[in-house]
Amino acid sequence: DNFDNLIKNNLDAFIVKTIYNNNLKDANGWGGAKCVEMDNELAMVIKAFEYLQKKGISIILSCHSQIVNFKDPSQPDYHRWSLDLPSRKDADLRNRIINWSSATLFGTREVEMDGKKVTSDSRVLKTQEHATYDAKCRYTIPESIEFSYKTFKAEVEKARK
């Protein structure tokens, strides 16, 4: 799109590369003071992203997911998919990204079965929060869309009109 988008593939890998100097062994567990350092670094990266957004450049980040324990005060705790980023009281990178972003999408597969036979299998992006995964979208777009940038961009453009 002629430089109107900056795509940073795998935010978690970006953090390992920039904060841990590509040393995955040191990054395992996202522990100690490095986690707070990562949180501070991410805050600066977000400021740079916001500068680019003011210039009309969309920022698209992707991240691996992990299963996390969700503590719901109204019912027993349960597991859900979330960004594979640290989330601690002193450094909550996961929620920093989710709260900053205009859209946090969850990529998954929708599979239809007839008995034991798969009748359809498609990749989709989920745009709304669900008990089993983190997602959100500040645009009014369908809850589930085709897993493609072209589809997402078209839906956002439609929502902006």
Side-chain angles (χ1 to χ4, degrees), residues 14 30 57 66 71 105 109 115 118 120 137 157 161:
F14 172 73
W30 307 100
I57 298 172
Q66 66 177 336
K71 296 184 182 297
L105 309 175
R109 290 181 127 38
V118 174
S120 98
C137 192
E157 287 174 355
K161 292 181 180 181

Short mmCIF file of all heavy atoms in Angstrom, two decimals, residues 14 30 57 66 71 105 109 115 118 120 137 157 161:
data_model
loop_
_atom_site.label_atom_id
_atom_site.label_comp_id
_atom_site.label_asym_id
_atom_site.label_seq_id
_atom_site.Cartn_x
_atom_site.Cartn_y
_atom_site.Cartn_z
N PHE A 14 10.17 -9.42 18.23
CA PHE A 14 10.75 -8.08 18.21
C PHE A 14 11.29 -7.71 19.60
O PHE A 14 12.39 -7.18 19.73
CB PHE A 14 9.69 -7.07 17.75
CG PHE A 14 10.10 -5.64 17.87
CD1 PHE A 14 11.02 -5.09 16.99
CD2 PHE A 14 9.55 -4.83 18.84
CE1 PHE A 14 11.39 -3.77 17.07
CE2 PHE A 14 9.91 -3.50 18.95
CZ PHE A 14 10.84 -2.96 18.06
N TRP A 30 10.34 -14.24 30.64
CA TRP A 30 10.19 -12.78 30.65
C TRP A 30 10.44 -12.23 32.05
O TRP A 30 9.75 -11.35 32.52
CB TRP A 30 8.79 -12.37 30.23
CG TRP A 30 8.29 -12.90 28.95
CD1 TRP A 30 7.47 -13.96 28.78
CD2 TRP A 30 8.55 -12.39 27.63
NE1 TRP A 30 7.20 -14.14 27.45
CE2 TRP A 30 7.85 -13.19 26.72
CE3 TRP A 30 9.31 -11.34 27.14
CZ2 TRP A 30 7.87 -12.97 25.37
CZ3 TRP A 30 9.33 -11.12 25.79
CH2 TRP A 30 8.61 -11.94 24.92
N ILE A 57 0.14 6.64 8.63
CA ILE A 57 0.64 5.27 8.47
C ILE A 57 -0.05 4.37 9.48
O ILE A 57 -0.04 4.64 10.68
CB ILE A 57 2.17 5.22 8.65
CG1 ILE A 57 2.86 6.07 7.58
CG2 ILE A 57 2.68 3.78 8.61
CD1 ILE A 57 4.34 6.25 7.78
N GLN A 66 -0.95 -17.37 23.62
CA GLN A 66 -0.71 -18.34 24.69
C GLN A 66 -2.01 -18.50 25.46
O GLN A 66 -2.88 -17.63 25.42
CB GLN A 66 0.40 -17.87 25.62
CG GLN A 66 0.04 -16.62 26.40
CD GLN A 66 1.11 -16.19 27.38
OE1 GLN A 66 1.92 -17.01 27.80
NE2 GLN A 66 1.12 -14.93 27.75
N LYS A 71 -9.00 -14.60 35.54
CA LYS A 71 -9.66 -14.52 36.84
C LYS A 71 -10.91 -13.66 36.72
O LYS A 71 -10.83 -12.45 36.57
CB LYS A 71 -8.70 -13.95 37.88
CG LYS A 71 -7.49 -14.83 38.13
CD LYS A 71 -6.62 -14.28 39.23
CE LYS A 71 -5.40 -15.11 39.47
NZ LYS A 71 -5.65 -16.45 39.91
N LEU A 105 -7.06 -8.43 17.01
CA LEU A 105 -7.80 -9.48 16.33
C LEU A 105 -7.24 -10.85 16.70
O LEU A 105 -6.04 -10.99 16.92
CB LEU A 105 -7.72 -9.28 14.82
CG LEU A 105 -8.08 -7.88 14.33
CD1 LEU A 105 -7.86 -7.76 12.84
CD2 LEU A 105 -9.51 -7.52 14.70
N ARG A 109 -9.30 -20.83 13.16
CA ARG A 109 -9.93 -21.59 12.08
C ARG A 109 -11.37 -21.87 12.47
O ARG A 109 -11.66 -22.19 13.62
CB ARG A 109 -9.22 -22.92 11.87
CG ARG A 109 -7.85 -22.81 11.26
CD ARG A 109 -7.23 -24.17 11.07
NE ARG A 109 -6.71 -24.58 9.80
CZ ARG A 109 -6.04 -23.87 8.92
NH1 ARG A 109 -5.85 -22.61 9.12
NH2 ARG A 109 -5.57 -24.39 7.82
N GLY A 115 -20.12 -35.54 11.13
CA GLY A 115 -19.58 -36.71 11.80
C GLY A 115 -18.11 -36.51 12.06
O GLY A 115 -17.72 -35.56 12.72
N VAL A 118 -14.39 -33.50 7.90
CA VAL A 118 -14.35 -32.04 7.81
C VAL A 118 -15.01 -31.63 6.50
O VAL A 118 -14.62 -32.08 5.42
CB VAL A 118 -12.89 -31.53 7.85
CG1 VAL A 118 -12.84 -30.02 7.60
CG2 VAL A 118 -12.23 -31.88 9.17
N SER A 120 -15.76 -28.16 5.91
CA SER A 120 -15.20 -26.85 5.56
C SER A 120 -14.19 -26.44 6.62
O SER A 120 -14.32 -26.77 7.79
CB SER A 120 -16.30 -25.80 5.38
OG SER A 120 -16.47 -25.01 6.50
N CYS A 137 -12.22 -4.35 18.79
CA CYS A 137 -12.13 -3.53 17.59
C CYS A 137 -12.91 -2.24 17.84
O CYS A 137 -14.07 -2.28 18.24
CB CYS A 137 -12.69 -4.28 16.39
SG CYS A 137 -12.30 -3.46 14.83
N GLU A 157 -12.56 0.60 6.27
CA GLU A 157 -12.93 1.73 5.41
C GLU A 157 -14.44 1.90 5.35
O GLU A 157 -14.96 3.02 5.38
CB GLU A 157 -12.34 1.55 4.01
CG GLU A 157 -10.83 1.79 4.00
CD GLU A 157 -10.17 1.47 2.67
OE1 GLU A 157 -10.84 0.96 1.73
OE2 GLU A 157 -8.94 1.72 2.56
N LYS A 161 -16.97 5.32 7.03
CA LYS A 161 -17.87 6.19 6.22
C LYS A 161 -19.10 6.59 6.96
O LYS A 161 -19.56 6.04 7.85
CB LYS A 161 -18.25 5.46 4.92
CG LYS A 161 -17.06 5.31 4.01
CD LYS A 161 -17.45 4.62 2.75
CE LYS A 161 -16.23 4.49 1.85
NZ LYS A 161 -16.51 3.86 0.60
#
